[in-house]
């Protein structure tokens, strides 16, 4: 099993960041790669569409409002992995109430590719996603 994690400090309080990204169906609010999200099964599943029209279906597997994190598993996606589980987490920055650290991590098993290739793929997705979040918060 392979894994990767990317963190980024963003210019907003942890609660403001969580209010933006903490909803399982909120990706289109801050992530340009996902312009469309449709909640299914009472919000426990989301059907995402990327700009190329590819569909990604994910299931919420853990949610903690108080600790500001959630985890999800991919059920269907155009990615060469199996057993994908990812966590999006908002941390406080000690001594600062105007900043938050956002961590996006995942673990997965490559499918017909190498660990290095899928780690690079998801590291790039997470890095670009957190950059988009930073831009959304500073717009």
């Amino acid at each position: 099993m392979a894994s990767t994690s990317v963190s980024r400090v963003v210019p907003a309080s942890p609660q403001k960041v969580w209010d933006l990204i903490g909803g399982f169906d909120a990706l289109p609010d801050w992530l340009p790669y996902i312009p469309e999200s449709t909640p299914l099964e009472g919000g426990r599943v989301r059907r995402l569409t990327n700009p190329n029209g590819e569909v990604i279906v994910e299931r919420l597997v853990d949610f903690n409002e108080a600790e500001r994190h959630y985890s999800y598993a991919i059920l269907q996606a155009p990615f060469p992995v199996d057993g994908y589980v990812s966590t999006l987490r908002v941390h406080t920055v000690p001594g600062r109430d105007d900043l938050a650290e956002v961590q996006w991590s995942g673990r997965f098993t490559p499918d017909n590719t190498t660990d290095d290739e899928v780690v690079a793929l998801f590291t790039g997705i997470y890095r670009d996603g957190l950059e988009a979040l930073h831009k959304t918060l500073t717009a």
Side-chain angles (χ1 to χ4, degrees):
M1 182 165 276
S3 65
T4 187
S5 182
V6 175
S7 294
R8 172 84 193 250
V9 173
V10 294
S13 71
Q15 188 60 51
K16 180 178 179 181
V17 175
W18 182 248
D19 289 346
L20 176 61
I21 72 172
F24 189 55
D25 195 40
L27 289 179
D29 295 340
W30 61 274
L31 188 61
Y33 179 71
I34 303 295
E36 184 181 332
S37 178
T38 304
L40 306 168
E41 296 184 24
R44 304 279 304 167
V45 172
R46 61 187 178 193
R47 182 184 186 278
L48 309 170
T49 305
N50 71 18
N52 298 329
E54 296 171 313
V55 172
I56 304 162
V57 180
E58 299 171 337
R59 176 177 297 282
L60 185 65
V61 295
D62 182 50
F63 183 87
N64 190 313
E65 180 80 29
E67 294 181 11
R68 298 186 188 108
H69 66 81
Y70 69 81
S71 298
Y72 60 94
I74 288 181
L75 304 178
Q76 172 191 337
F79 306 126
V81 294
D82 286 319
Y84 177 100
V85 176
S86 183
T87 300
L88 194 58
R89 182 181 305 268
V90 179
H91 298 281
T92 60
V93 174
R96 300 289 301 261
D97 58 4
D98 61 332
L99 299 175
E101 180 184 9
V102 181
Q103 178 186 30
W104 200 349
S105 60
R107 62 184 193 278
F108 34 80
T109 301
D111 183 16
N112 293 318
T113 188
T114 67
D115 283 11
D116 289 345
E117 288 173 327
V118 292
V119 165
L121 171 68
F122 287 107
T123 299
I125 289 171
Y126 299 163
R127 183 184 56 244
D128 292 350
L130 294 181
E131 176 64 24
L133 173 63
H134 186 273
K135 286 180 182 176
T136 297
L137 290 166
T138 55

